Amino acid sequence: MSLISPACRDALQHWLDSLGALAGRSENTQTAYRGDVTEFLSFMTLHHSERQGLAALARITVSDMRAWMADQRAAGVGARSLARKLSAVKSFYRWLSEREGFEPTAVLSTRAPKFTKKLPRPLAEDAARAMIDTVEMQSTNDWVSARDVAVVTLLYGCGLRISEALSLTGTDAPLPATLRIVGKGDKERIVPVLPAAQTAVERYVQLCPHPQAPDKALFRGVRGGPLNPRAIQGVMAKARMQLGLPATATPHAMRHSFATHLLSAGGDLRSIQELLGHASLSTTQAYTAVDTARLMEVYNRAHPKA
């Protein structure tokens, strides 16, 4: 028997539908929120020894919330993950309270655990170039090598997320001087395309044995279907082992490297925010901390009085 009542299950689905339709949340975000809220509702069922209907959810107390938080920490959930789960629960409760007309203070007033935000982990400029060169040597198949180089070059040269690079279709080739990218939350942005990225994609298209079509993925797997992101993650994992780079040298690190290297070269935060597609400037400001940390490292290593 499900631990969640039909009424709660329906309410959860309606909330997720509203997130997709109104807030433009991605499928991955909706899936994560569904899991987080489902776990919370299941806990409340076990905590009260009965399935929680909508009326019971309206009666959740501060003590109930503390019990859930304590249970999560006892299960080994870290502060960052618990804060994310709590954010999902609060979002659901805010929506549900407006719909059902109850007071959600007990849930909304629950404080998230404090945690130190992780700084982006970019690669050094020479390491980013070496990564692209080493990725090219991971396959004995010329077109696969060209494909992998093209994707990684887009991540580093244009600051794309891997999902954004793999969402390109045949209509995007040959690459124009600028790309219109639809990122998280259906936020659109215009991204300049470097000649190196245009050349890398052109070489891939020429070598790819699978014919391009306007409605099909630009980057293909060996069998001709859309390229799975795990293929790029895997080839970068092999390359970083050969280069002696840390496990943080992932596809997303190439996007971090793009932003950090632009900032180091004098790029302004607002422009970098637009290029990355960040909804908030505060997200982009994390790169200033990275750049400051790098400068302090150089200072401490090189200054005679350091």
Side-chain angles (χ1 to χ4, degrees):
M1 182 182 69
S2 172
L3 294 176
I4 304 175
S5 71
C8 285
R9 189 165 56 248
D10 290 345
L12 175 56
Q13 186 59 54
H14 289 155
W15 170 63
L16 292 170
D17 290 343
S18 71
L19 284 181
L22 300 178
R25 300 296 173 87
S26 69
E27 279 190 29
N28 288 342
T29 298
Q30 292 182 56
T31 299
Y33 278 9
R34 180 191 298 277
D36 293 338
V37 176
T38 297
E39 284 184 8
F40 172 80
L41 296 175
S42 297
F43 170 82
M44 288 301 166
T45 292
L46 296 173
H47 184 59
H48 290 282
S49 301
E50 62 180 356
R51 286 202 297 186
Q52 302 293 283
L54 296 182
L57 291 183
R59 296 192 297 269
I60 284 180
T61 65
V62 172
S63 177
D64 292 330
M65 293 302 296
R66 288 174 179 165
W68 172 67
M69 299 273 283
D71 176 79
Q72 292 292 298
R73 296 310 295 266
V77 176
R80 178 186 298 273
S81 296
L82 183 51
R84 187 206 71 210
K85 290 173 181 283
L86 179 59
S87 176
V89 169
K90 284 184 176 182
S91 179
F92 171 65
Y93 253 77
R94 192 176 290 109
W95 175 87
L96 187 64
S97 65
E98 292 174 358
R99 177 187 171 104
E100 298 295 324
F102 65 84
E103 178 55 54
T105 301
V107 173
L108 300 187
S109 64
T110 303
R111 291 185 178 181
K114 293 183 179 180
F115 60 90
T116 303
K117 289 187 177 180
K118 291 182 179 179
L119 292 178
R121 299 292 296 274
L123 280 67
E125 291 183 33
D126 58 347
R129 288 193 293 269
M131 174 61 77
I132 295 174
D133 292 339
T134 309
V135 159
E136 187 174 14
M137 298 184 291
Q138 300 310 304
S139 176
T140 56
N141 191 319
D142 287 346
W143 83 267
V144 172
S145 293
R147 178 200 69 191
D148 296 344
V149 167
V151 174
V152 177
T153 301
L154 282 170
L155 303 183
Y156 179 54
C158 301
L160 302 188
R161 300 175 178 92
I162 189 169
S163 60
E164 294 169 347
L166 299 189
S167 70
L168 297 177
T169 65
T171 57
D172 296 308
L175 291 187
T178 59
L179 279 173
R180 184 180 297 276
I181 298 296
V182 180
K184 286 186 176 181
D186 289 334
K187 182 178 174 61
E188 287 192 4
R189 68 187 192 276
I190 302 299
V191 178
V193 180
L194 297 176
Q198 291 175 316
T199 301
V201 171
E202 183 179 356
R203 179 170 181 267
Y204 154 71
V205 171
Q206 290 174 349
L207 294 175
C208 182
H210 307 292
Q212 293 294 328
D215 59 340
K216 289 191 176 182
L218 173 62
F219 295 109
R220 308 288 189 83
V222 174
R223 297 182 179 179
L227 179 61
N228 192 303
R230 286 195 293 272
I232 300 300
Q233 292 163 354
V235 77
M236 283 193 63
K238 292 178 182 177
R240 72 171 177 251
M241 290 179 66
Q242 294 175 18
L243 293 169
L245 295 174
T248 52
T250 62
H252 205 64
M254 301 303 283
R255 173 174 155 90
H256 290 325
S257 303
F258 162 84
T260 305
H261 299 165
L262 277 181
L263 184 63
S264 298
D268 66 277
L269 276 178
R270 185 66 68 180
S271 297
I272 294 172
Q273 177 195 3
E274 290 298 321
L275 290 172
L276 292 174
H278 286 161
S280 170
L281 185 61
S282 63
T283 306
T284 315
Q285 284 173 333
Y287 294 102
T288 62
V290 172
D291 198 46
T292 301
R294 184 188 63 82
L295 290 174
M296 290 304 297
E297 181 182 343
V298 172
Y299 174 85
N300 290 326
R301 186 173 63 245
H303 197 285
K305 294 292 186 180

